[in-house]
Amino acid sequence: MSTQQNEPSPPPSAGPEKPGRIAALAALNALEGAALAIGGIYMLAVGLFGRPDSIQQAEMGGLTLVALGLIPLAAARGLLRRRSWSRGPALITQLMALPVAWTLLRSQGALIPAGIVLAAVAVTALVLILNPATTQALGIRGPRRTTPDA
C-alpha cells in the first residue's frame, strides 16, 4: 500500500497567470509616480512655508509634478489589473524620463547618480514594456500579417 496525501488543488483562476514582468513594470511605474508626487509635495511645502524666489512658480511647479506623478501611478494600477490601456501611459512615462536622465547625467554633484538611477529605471521599464510577452499578457494584439496574393 502506498501512502498518498490528498493535496488541495489550486483554485481555478480567471485567466492566465500574470507574468512577473508585469509586476516589475508596475513597481517601476509606481516608484516613478511616487517620486514625482513626493517632489511635487516638497515644492508645494517650500512654496507655502519656505522662502522661494517665486511663490507662484514653486506652487505651480509642485502642482505640475503631483499631476505628472498621477500618470505613472495610474499606469501601475492598470498594469496590475492587466488593462491594455496602461501600456501607453507607462511607455510615455519612460520616454519622458530619458531626456530628464540625460540632463541629470550632464549636471554636477549628486544629480549624476540620480541620473544614472533614472536612466536605469527607464531603460529597464522600456525593455519590459516592449517585451512581446508583456504585450500578450495585456491582451494587445500585434499587427496583422497579410500574405501577398499569388
Side-chain angles (χ1 to χ4, degrees), residues 32-42 62 65-70 73:
E32 289 173 322
L36 283 167
I38 290 168
I41 291 168
Y42 173 77
L65 284 180
V66 169
L68 285 174
L70 295 176
L73 288 172

Side-chain angles (χ1 to χ4, degrees), residues 20 22 30 59 82 106 111 115 118 123 132:
I22 297 281
E59 295 302 313
R82 294 176 64 179
R106 297 182 46 90
L111 295 178
L118 181 57
V123 168

Side-chain angles (χ1 to χ4, degrees), residues 18 22 26 74-86 137-138:
K18 185 183 332 182
I22 297 281
R77 186 168 188 242
L79 287 165
L80 288 176
R81 293 174 172 231
R82 294 176 64 179
R83 304 289 191 243
S84 61
W85 61 262
S86 62
L138 292 174

Side-chain angles (χ1 to χ4, degrees), residues 83-149:
R83 304 289 191 243
S84 61
W85 61 262
S86 62
R87 185 175 183 238
L91 180 64
I92 290 169
T93 298
Q94 305 319 315
L95 292 175
M96 289 174 50
L98 289 175
V100 174
W102 178 253
T103 302
L104 291 173
L105 287 169
R106 297 182 46 90
S107 65
Q108 298 176 2
L111 295 178
I112 293 173
I116 293 169
V117 169
L118 181 57
V121 167
V123 168
T124 302
L126 281 171
V127 168
L128 292 171
I129 290 169
L130 298 175
N131 188 304
T134 303
T135 304
Q136 183 181 8
L138 292 174
I140 300 170
R141 285 188 248 142
R144 291 185 181 182
R145 297 179 188 231
T146 58
T147 58
D149 292 335

